[in-house]
Amino acid sequence: MSGPGRRRVRPGRLGLHAFLMTVSLAFLAPLLLAVYASLRPYEETAEYGYFSLPRHLSFDYYKQAFTDSGMGKYFLNSILIAVPGVLLTLFLASFVAFSVTRLNMRGGLVLLMVFTAGNLLPQQVIVTPLYVLFTKIELPYWMSDSMTMYDSYWAVIAVQVAFQVGFCVFVLANFMRTLPIEIIEAAVVDGAGVWTRYWRITLPLCRPALAALATLQFTWMYNDFLWALVFISDGDKLPVTSALNNLRGQFFTDYNLLAAGSVLVALPTVLVFLLLQRHFIAGLTLGANKG
């Protein structure tokens, strides 16, 4: 029985919540199963199954996964690729989006369409041309010990930036169009140059969108394995995703140990999301309350 001051719960809303909870659990199920398996001995899951009740739980596999795979070194490699890649991508994308939306440049719409269309190109079709190209581009020794762009972090960063900048330009350009044009006009009247309008006025207003993109871009670049596998031949330079291969035995693979390694690899992306969570959610909900 519902009183006059109590809100009535609609059946449709209950169904929507139930659907969203089901979808969320479906996405979380593999991760939860990996965490559960990583805490149990392999002998126990082999005998009773992965969906049985635990007899013994411990973090021994996490310590073993970190030490046996040399994960610390590979973590650093991934950071050396992902962090510069994200910063460079956001800087270039924000400057292009600013030029297209705030400088009234000719062909701005065409330029935006070109950047967006770049995301439609399958990455695999240019693997061989890029491989040949990077082996011919020479770099000084302080930038690459191979003296070429091949077998260096620069090759992976360049490809990541090239493929991700188009998506970021599309998102930032649409966001910048929602900013009040009066702010830019007032800055022009006060004598602000292009760089001041971009760096000191527009970018601070784009903080939610930049934070959301930074979270997504870091996740994509950090988890990428294809480009590093193609353009890096030195095993000591490979990213952390390759460290999981070191946990596979020649004749036997302990999948509980592999699950622990997978959880460790995923922790940095979870940490980045938690640090940028407020800005990330704000960036996703921009315009939700706009009349």
Short mmCIF file of all heavy atoms in Angstrom, two decimals, residues 1 16 18 22 37 48 69-70 94 126 130 170 181 186 220 234 247-248 265 281 285 290:
data_model
loop_
_atom_site.label_atom_id
_atom_site.label_comp_id
_atom_site.label_asym_id
_atom_site.label_seq_id
_atom_site.Cartn_x
_atom_site.Cartn_y
_atom_site.Cartn_z
N MET A 1 0.86 -1.19 0.00
CA MET A 1 0.00 0.00 0.00
C MET A 1 0.88 1.23 0.00
O MET A 1 1.78 1.35 0.83
CB MET A 1 -0.91 -0.02 1.23
CG MET A 1 -1.90 1.16 1.25
SD MET A 1 -3.05 0.99 2.63
CE MET A 1 -4.01 2.47 2.36
N LEU A 16 14.07 -2.05 -16.11
CA LEU A 16 15.29 -1.42 -16.60
C LEU A 16 16.45 -1.66 -15.65
O LEU A 16 17.56 -2.00 -16.08
CB LEU A 16 15.06 0.08 -16.79
CG LEU A 16 16.28 0.90 -17.23
CD1 LEU A 16 16.80 0.43 -18.58
CD2 LEU A 16 15.94 2.39 -17.27
N ALA A 18 16.75 -4.08 -13.48
CA ALA A 18 17.10 -5.50 -13.52
C ALA A 18 17.94 -5.81 -14.76
O ALA A 18 18.91 -6.58 -14.69
CB ALA A 18 15.83 -6.36 -13.51
N THR A 22 21.84 -7.08 -14.76
CA THR A 22 22.21 -8.33 -15.45
C THR A 22 23.37 -8.09 -16.40
O THR A 22 24.32 -8.89 -16.45
CB THR A 22 21.00 -8.88 -16.21
OG1 THR A 22 19.92 -9.10 -15.30
CG2 THR A 22 21.35 -10.19 -16.90
N ALA A 37 39.66 -17.41 -8.99
CA ALA A 37 40.59 -18.49 -9.33
C ALA A 37 42.01 -18.17 -8.89
O ALA A 37 42.76 -19.07 -8.48
CB ALA A 37 40.55 -18.75 -10.83
N TYR A 48 38.04 -30.00 -7.73
CA TYR A 48 36.65 -29.66 -7.41
C TYR A 48 35.98 -28.75 -8.44
O TYR A 48 34.76 -28.56 -8.38
CB TYR A 48 36.58 -28.98 -6.03
CG TYR A 48 37.13 -29.83 -4.91
CD1 TYR A 48 38.39 -29.57 -4.36
CD2 TYR A 48 36.38 -30.89 -4.39
CE1 TYR A 48 38.89 -30.34 -3.33
CE2 TYR A 48 36.87 -31.66 -3.35
CZ TYR A 48 38.14 -31.38 -2.83
OH TYR A 48 38.63 -32.16 -1.81
N SER A 69 57.42 -13.50 -13.77
CA SER A 69 57.28 -12.88 -15.09
C SER A 69 58.15 -11.64 -15.27
O SER A 69 58.22 -11.10 -16.38
CB SER A 69 55.81 -12.50 -15.32
OG SER A 69 55.40 -11.51 -14.39
N GLY A 70 58.81 -11.17 -14.19
CA GLY A 70 59.56 -9.92 -14.30
C GLY A 70 58.65 -8.75 -14.61
O GLY A 70 58.99 -7.85 -15.38
N SER A 94 43.31 18.26 -29.13
CA SER A 94 42.68 19.47 -28.60
C SER A 94 43.03 20.69 -29.44
O SER A 94 42.19 21.57 -29.66
CB SER A 94 43.11 19.70 -27.15
OG SER A 94 44.52 19.86 -27.05
N ILE A 126 47.96 -1.91 -42.63
CA ILE A 126 49.17 -1.11 -42.80
C ILE A 126 50.33 -1.63 -41.94
O ILE A 126 51.32 -0.92 -41.77
CB ILE A 126 48.90 0.38 -42.47
CG1 ILE A 126 48.47 0.53 -41.01
CG2 ILE A 126 47.87 0.97 -43.40
CD1 ILE A 126 48.39 1.98 -40.58
N LEU A 130 54.17 -0.07 -42.57
CA LEU A 130 54.78 0.62 -41.44
C LEU A 130 56.05 -0.09 -40.97
O LEU A 130 57.03 0.57 -40.58
CB LEU A 130 53.78 0.71 -40.29
CG LEU A 130 52.66 1.73 -40.44
CD1 LEU A 130 51.72 1.68 -39.25
CD2 LEU A 130 53.22 3.14 -40.60
N PHE A 170 37.28 14.27 -32.82
CA PHE A 170 35.83 14.23 -32.99
C PHE A 170 35.12 14.56 -31.67
O PHE A 170 34.17 15.36 -31.64
CB PHE A 170 35.42 12.85 -33.49
CG PHE A 170 33.94 12.66 -33.61
CD1 PHE A 170 33.24 13.19 -34.67
CD2 PHE A 170 33.25 11.93 -32.65
CE1 PHE A 170 31.86 13.02 -34.78
CE2 PHE A 170 31.88 11.75 -32.75
CZ PHE A 170 31.18 12.30 -33.81
N ILE A 181 30.54 30.98 -26.85
CA ILE A 181 31.43 31.70 -27.75
C ILE A 181 31.76 33.08 -27.20
O ILE A 181 32.77 33.70 -27.57
CB ILE A 181 30.79 31.80 -29.15
CG1 ILE A 181 31.80 32.31 -30.18
CG2 ILE A 181 29.56 32.69 -29.11
CD1 ILE A 181 32.98 31.41 -30.38
N ALA A 186 35.22 37.73 -25.78
CA ALA A 186 35.71 38.66 -24.77
C ALA A 186 37.23 38.60 -24.67
O ALA A 186 37.90 39.63 -24.49
CB ALA A 186 35.09 38.34 -23.41
N TRP A 220 43.33 1.93 -23.64
CA TRP A 220 43.57 1.33 -24.95
C TRP A 220 45.06 1.16 -25.22
O TRP A 220 45.49 0.12 -25.70
CB TRP A 220 42.92 2.19 -26.04
CG TRP A 220 41.42 2.16 -25.98
CD1 TRP A 220 40.64 1.19 -25.42
CD2 TRP A 220 40.51 3.16 -26.46
NE1 TRP A 220 39.31 1.51 -25.53
CE2 TRP A 220 39.20 2.71 -26.17
CE3 TRP A 220 40.68 4.38 -27.12
CZ2 TRP A 220 38.06 3.44 -26.52
CZ3 TRP A 220 39.54 5.10 -27.47
CH2 TRP A 220 38.26 4.63 -27.17
N ASP A 234 63.21 -6.54 -29.33
CA ASP A 234 63.91 -6.77 -28.07
C ASP A 234 62.88 -7.13 -26.99
O ASP A 234 62.01 -6.33 -26.66
CB ASP A 234 64.70 -5.52 -27.67
CG ASP A 234 65.59 -5.76 -26.46
OD1 ASP A 234 65.47 -6.83 -25.83
OD2 ASP A 234 66.42 -4.88 -26.16
N LEU A 247 54.43 -16.60 -18.05
CA LEU A 247 53.80 -17.45 -17.04
C LEU A 247 53.31 -18.77 -17.63
O LEU A 247 52.83 -19.63 -16.90
CB LEU A 247 52.62 -16.71 -16.39
CG LEU A 247 52.97 -15.42 -15.64
CD1 LEU A 247 51.70 -14.76 -15.10
CD2 LEU A 247 53.95 -15.68 -14.51
N ARG A 248 53.44 -18.92 -18.93
CA ARG A 248 53.03 -20.17 -19.58
C ARG A 248 54.20 -21.14 -19.61
O ARG A 248 55.29 -20.79 -20.05
CB ARG A 248 52.55 -19.91 -21.01
CG ARG A 248 51.27 -19.09 -21.09
CD ARG A 248 50.87 -18.87 -22.53
NE ARG A 248 49.61 -18.17 -22.65
CZ ARG A 248 48.42 -18.76 -22.69
NH1 ARG A 248 48.35 -20.08 -22.63
NH2 ARG A 248 47.31 -18.06 -22.80
N VAL A 265 48.04 -7.15 -14.14
CA VAL A 265 48.17 -6.31 -15.33
C VAL A 265 47.03 -5.30 -15.41
O VAL A 265 47.23 -4.16 -15.86
CB VAL A 265 48.19 -7.20 -16.60
CG1 VAL A 265 48.06 -6.37 -17.86
CG2 VAL A 265 49.48 -8.00 -16.65
N ILE A 281 33.11 10.61 -15.21
CA ILE A 281 31.65 10.56 -15.21
C ILE A 281 31.07 11.90 -15.64
O ILE A 281 30.08 11.96 -16.38
CB ILE A 281 31.15 10.17 -13.81
CG1 ILE A 281 31.60 8.74 -13.47
CG2 ILE A 281 29.63 10.28 -13.71
CD1 ILE A 281 31.24 8.28 -12.09
N THR A 285 28.49 12.59 -18.88
CA THR A 285 27.13 13.10 -18.68
C THR A 285 26.98 14.54 -19.12
O THR A 285 25.95 15.16 -18.82
CB THR A 285 26.77 12.98 -17.19
OG1 THR A 285 27.74 13.69 -16.39
CG2 THR A 285 26.72 11.54 -16.74
N LYS A 290 20.92 19.50 -20.39
CA LYS A 290 20.80 20.70 -21.23
C LYS A 290 19.39 20.75 -21.82
O LYS A 290 18.88 19.78 -22.36
CB LYS A 290 21.86 20.64 -22.35
CG LYS A 290 21.99 21.95 -23.10
CD LYS A 290 23.15 21.86 -24.08
CE LYS A 290 23.33 23.16 -24.83
NZ LYS A 290 24.46 23.11 -25.78
#
